[in-house]
Amino acid sequence: MPTLEIRDLHVSVETKEGPKPILRGVDLTINSGETHAIMGPNGSGKSTLAYSLAGHPKYEITSGTVTLDGEDIVAMSADERARAGLFLAMQYPVEVPGVSVSNFLRTAKTAIDGEAPALRTWIKDVNGAMERLRMDASFAERSVNEGFSGGEKKRHEILQMELLRPQFAILDETDSGLDVDALRIVSEGVNRAKESTDVGVLLITHYTRILRYIQPDFVHVFVDGRIAEEGGPELAERLENEGYDRFLTSGASA
């Protein structure tokens, strides 16, 4: 069973004043097929965890380990981590003017698999995934994220996830900016990917509304760069009712 294991992870981000510690000893294990929800207040380090796992150069892992199936990925570049089976759906996907969605997707698939997919099969797969995500066929010829609405950007992220079939998907606030219909469609895409590939999911969110569609196996409360509390789906409901005050006012020792 594929496993993503994070042990005593410390991460700093470069600022004008110099390196600033953000993550202060994160321990987390995600097995294939599991969904782990990370919840916490703004500035607690949730997105830092996502980007440092994916290999963003702005975030420096200063100590600790991250292994995928026992293989250390800390020394890997971002593209090597992607080929190893990691996928990041970004909170703010970047625009790539002049590169069509269809070309982007096929290039990404070729890079991940090491060979280009058979064209006829690939077109069928892309069209089928787009249809399931309620995306018009013309979407494939638009430039990546250029002029996309918030919902279109998030659907495109899940389209990539469905087609690239990673072992572990990190979804950074995928529910941000989505209306009710788009949230349901995006969530259905994540659930389909889980059913067809047994992907492990690390779902970062502020709110419980997406967890009504994507059922977490575990919920982790992130405060001041550490996991302050862990539990099952019931913990998310408690956070919805009580907020994060009890962690912040107590100092959460985190």
Side-chain angles (χ1 to χ4, degrees):
M1 176 185 294
T3 300
L4 179 66
E5 191 168 11
I6 303 163
R7 287 289 170 265
D8 195 26
L9 187 66
H10 292 252
V11 174
S12 293
V13 63
E14 190 62 39
T15 69
K16 293 180 180 179
E17 291 75 31
K20 178 182 178 182
I22 303 294
L23 301 188
R24 306 169 187 273
V26 176
D27 291 293
L28 182 63
T29 299
I30 305 172
N31 294 309
S32 176
E34 293 179 349
T35 297
H36 291 247
I38 298 283
M39 304 183 71
N42 286 329
S44 59
K46 302 185 301 299
S47 290
T48 295
L49 175 62
Y51 287 113
S52 59
L53 290 177
H56 194 299
K58 179 180 177 182
Y59 301 89
E60 181 186 1
I61 295 177
T62 54
S63 65
T65 61
V66 182
T67 58
L68 201 165
D69 277 349
E71 184 177 5
D72 181 15
I73 68 168
V74 171
M76 294 182 183
S77 61
D79 62 302
E80 289 171 333
R81 297 184 196 197
R83 285 194 293 272
L86 283 184
F87 172 81
L88 171 64
M90 294 182 286
Q91 182 179 359
Y92 303 109
V94 298
E95 295 184 3
V96 189
V99 177
S100 70
V101 168
S102 60
N103 285 339
F104 173 80
L105 290 172
R106 193 158 193 263
T107 299
K109 183 66 171 176
T110 301
I112 295 295
D113 291 354
E115 62 181 2
L119 191 56
R120 181 176 296 180
T121 303
W122 176 246
I123 291 174
K124 181 180 178 181
D125 289 345
V126 172
N127 289 341
M130 288 178 60
E131 184 177 347
R132 289 188 293 271
L133 286 164
R134 315 291 199 275
M135 300 166 76
D136 189 88
S138 62
F139 187 91
E141 300 313 314
R142 296 171 63 183
S143 291
V144 173
N145 292 322
E146 189 173 31
F148 286 15
S149 68
E152 287 175 330
K153 289 180 179 179
K154 297 307 173 72
R155 292 187 203 199
H156 182 224
E157 296 283 287
I158 303 307
L159 177 64
Q160 294 172 53
M161 177 182 169
E162 285 203 49
L163 294 170
L164 299 179
R165 301 172 70 87
Q167 291 192 69
F168 293 95
I170 305 161
L171 309 181
D172 188 14
E173 299 200 29
T174 297
D175 52 342
S176 177
L178 297 184
D179 61 27
V180 173
D181 290 333
L183 176 63
R184 187 188 70 255
I185 291 167
V186 163
S187 299
E188 288 172 351
V190 174
N191 290 330
R192 275 194 306 273
K194 282 196 63 181
E195 291 168 3
S196 63
T197 67
D198 215 25
V199 61
V201 175
L202 180 62
L203 177 62
I204 296 170
T205 183
H206 282 294
Y207 308 109
T208 59
R209 64 176 193 154
I210 194 170
L211 303 183
R212 299 186 184 109
Y213 298 96
I214 303 173
Q215 182 75 14
D217 299 294
F218 304 94
V219 175
H220 311 269
V221 184
F222 227 66
V223 179
D224 195 25
R226 295 190 183 97
I227 294 175
E229 187 170 333
E230 298 175 311
E234 71 284 349
L235 178 55
E237 292 302 322
R238 184 179 179 187
L239 292 171
E240 177 78 2
N241 295 326
E242 300 177 4
Y244 301 105
D245 283 352
R246 66 190 177 93
F247 298 101
L248 301 177
T249 55
S250 67
S253 68

